[in-house]
Amino acid sequence: MPLLTQSGKQRPKYMLLVDQLIQKVTSGEIRPGEALPSEHQLCESYQLARTTVRNAMQLLEEQGWITRLQGKGSFVSLNPPLPTSKPLDIFAFVLPEIRTGFYPSLQRSFEQAAALTQNQVLVCCTENKVDMQGNTILQLIDKHVSGVALVPATVPATPAYQIRQLQQHGIPVVFCHREVEGVQAPLLSIPFREVGLLAGQTLLQQGHRSLALFSPHRASSSIEYESGLREALASQETPCPEPFIFHGPHSQIHPIDYEQELLTTLESMFKQPDPPTAIFATFDSLAELIYLLLGKLGYRVPEDISLLGFGGTVRHGAIQSRLSSITVDEVAIGQKAAELLTQMKQGKLPIDTAEIYPMPIQTSTGQTLGPAPK
């Protein structure tokens, strides 16, 4: 009697066994207090490996469905958790930030795409903190959501076990922007090194040779941005000055929270013998604050110094709409994330697929990019 899939969904075999044993309890075929077949009998009946059966029994025990007595076997709990919760037709979108940058447009496009398949969306903000993200994931598992799109937290880096918990409960996951090492799931990737490379090339084409890079904090993406920028500088026939690099504090997610430190850093930068004539800020909200601080210091943008940000193709706000930036299509990311979750939910795509979908980038000219001052 091999296991049967449910609605064509690709779920781990031990989860399918859990489903069928719970169905036997809820239908009254096996009553509270009665013994379950032995692990050996379940292996033979369902044509499963012993490890698969043990994983299923462990999960049933953790959820309160059975009691295991050493040397006697497994018994249905006297008070099993009836009735069982059915998965909700809800997708969750877990984001490190929802107020600034490209995140509002990313969220909106995901919600619109999910609505086309009659899926509501639960938006969760982690403030880029991995412990808050872990608590959020546990709540989503408890709610039996249908799928999770996730921009992984980076303070510190997201551990693989957080994401595996979702997949082990049959909940598909799609990574947006960056992956989590050790987990197989679809990735809608931002090519961070290419972003830094394109930023460097764009500034070099305007005649700038002394460049600065400012990022919200030091993370894997920041290292990739810096690598791309340095690659652009290294491609020049005549050596360029060493770029000025600033990474914000890990403890703060919003640039406004370390405004004074940012101002002090800019003052120090301009006191160097060969100060940068152009700044690449790796997030639009950071670039906007730098724009205001440059004015406070008496520098004109772009006449005295050029400023290049990084954000989405949707340009809202008084400063962002004027800001020159490298852009990624956040609307396409949101739409593709909802599409992939729907395919995995319907069983058309395995939840452990590791396919990568690189998102294209381009330059938004704006008004803060100009030639290097003479």
Side-chain angles (χ1 to χ4, degrees):
M1 184 175 58
L3 291 173
L4 300 175
T5 58
Q6 296 182 346
S7 304
K9 292 182 179 179
Q10 297 288 336
R11 304 190 70 194
K13 288 184 178 180
Y14 80 94
M15 285 298 300
L16 294 174
L17 178 58
V18 167
D19 292 342
Q20 294 202 16
L21 291 176
I22 288 177
Q23 185 178 6
K24 288 180 181 294
V25 175
T26 56
S27 66
E29 185 176 341
I30 306 179
R31 298 181 179 279
E34 290 185 0
L36 290 175
S38 67
E39 289 185 0
H40 178 72
Q41 290 172 325
L42 291 171
C43 289
E44 289 191 343
S45 298
Y46 292 97
Q47 300 174 18
L48 295 172
R50 179 63 65 90
T51 303
T52 302
V53 172
R54 285 178 177 171
N55 287 340
M57 303 305 282
Q58 180 179 347
L59 183 57
L60 286 169
E61 185 178 31
E62 291 174 355
Q63 294 180 346
W65 286 97
I66 66 171
T67 301
R68 292 196 287 180
L69 301 177
Q70 188 172 2
K72 295 185 178 181
S74 300
F75 299 83
V76 178
S77 299
L78 295 177
N79 295 300
L82 298 170
T84 57
S85 298
K86 293 182 65 177
L88 300 175
D89 285 329
I90 291 179
F91 287 154
F93 205 177
V94 182
L95 300 164
E97 162 69 280
I98 58 175
R99 292 183 292 173
T100 61
F102 41 55
Y103 291 118
S105 298
L106 179 62
Q107 174 188 332
R108 186 162 52 252
S109 64
F110 181 80
E111 290 173 333
Q112 291 171 346
L116 296 176
T117 53
Q118 286 73 54
N119 280 281
Q120 297 182 4
V121 174
L122 178 65
V123 178
C124 310
C125 178
T126 65
E127 297 182 6
N128 204 33
K129 298 175 182 176
V130 74
D131 54 346
M132 187 179 297
Q133 177 178 271
N135 290 333
T136 298
I137 286 173
L138 290 177
Q139 292 178 55
L140 295 177
I141 292 172
D142 185 61
K143 296 294 184 184
H144 297 278
V145 296
S146 295
V148 175
L150 172 76
V151 179
T154 60
V155 183
T158 295
Y161 72 82
Q162 283 192 357
I163 315 305
R164 289 195 188 120
Q165 290 181 85
L166 290 163
Q167 293 181 328
Q168 288 171 358
H169 284 82
I171 300 174
V173 178
V174 171
F175 293 134
C176 299
H177 300 180
R178 49 185 170 262
E179 64 184 351
V180 172
E181 188 175 353
V183 179
Q184 292 196 158
L187 168 64
L188 304 172
S189 71
I190 291 179
F192 299 111
R193 189 190 65 79
E194 285 78 1
V195 170
L197 177 61
L198 180 56
Q201 292 171 340
T202 301
L203 296 173
L204 288 168
Q205 287 169 4
Q206 292 290 326
H208 298 279
R209 298 182 52 76
S210 183
L211 308 181
L213 180 145
F214 282 68
S215 72
H217 60 265
R218 189 170 184 81
S220 58
S221 56
S222 306
I223 296 171
E224 291 294 305
Y225 290 132
E226 182 179 337
S227 174
L229 185 73
R230 290 183 180 278
E231 182 179 338
L233 292 173
S235 68
Q236 300 301 291
E237 292 184 4
T238 13
C240 294
E242 177 72 11
F244 183 90
I245 306 295
F246 170 83
H247 298 292
H250 274 289
S251 57
Q252 305 294 339
I253 186 171
H254 300 295
I256 197 71
D257 294 330
Y258 52 92
E259 178 178 349
Q260 185 56 49
E261 180 179 349
L262 198 55
L263 180 63
T264 303
T265 301
L266 287 168
E267 290 176 321
S268 172
M269 182 186 78
F270 286 117
K271 290 178 182 177
Q272 292 188 340
D274 188 12
T277 60
I279 296 173
F280 170 49
T282 63
F283 201 58
D284 273 350
S285 59
L286 176 59
E288 290 176 317
L289 180 56
I290 290 175
Y291 177 86
L292 296 174
L293 293 178
L294 289 172
K296 186 175 183 178
L297 293 173
Y299 292 93
R300 299 170 301 163
V301 179
E303 291 83 3
D304 298 325
I305 185 165
S306 285
L307 179 61
L308 191 64
F310 174 59
T313 53
V314 178
R315 315 296 292 170
H316 292 308
I319 300 179
Q320 189 189 42
S321 60
R322 293 167 171 77
L323 188 66
S324 301
S325 285
I326 307 301
T327 62
V328 63
D329 192 346
E330 75 284 23
V331 174
I333 294 177
Q335 292 173 342
K336 188 65 177 178
E339 175 189 327
L340 290 171
L341 286 178
T342 299
Q343 290 177 353
M344 289 189 283
K345 172 186 170 184
Q346 295 173 346
K348 298 177 181 177
L349 189 69
I351 66 173
D352 59 351
T353 183
E355 191 163 356
I356 298 176
Y357 303 85
M359 295 290 108
I361 56 174
Q362 59 186 7
T363 304
S364 175
T365 307
Q367 302 174 19
T368 60
L369 176 62
K374 296 181 181 180

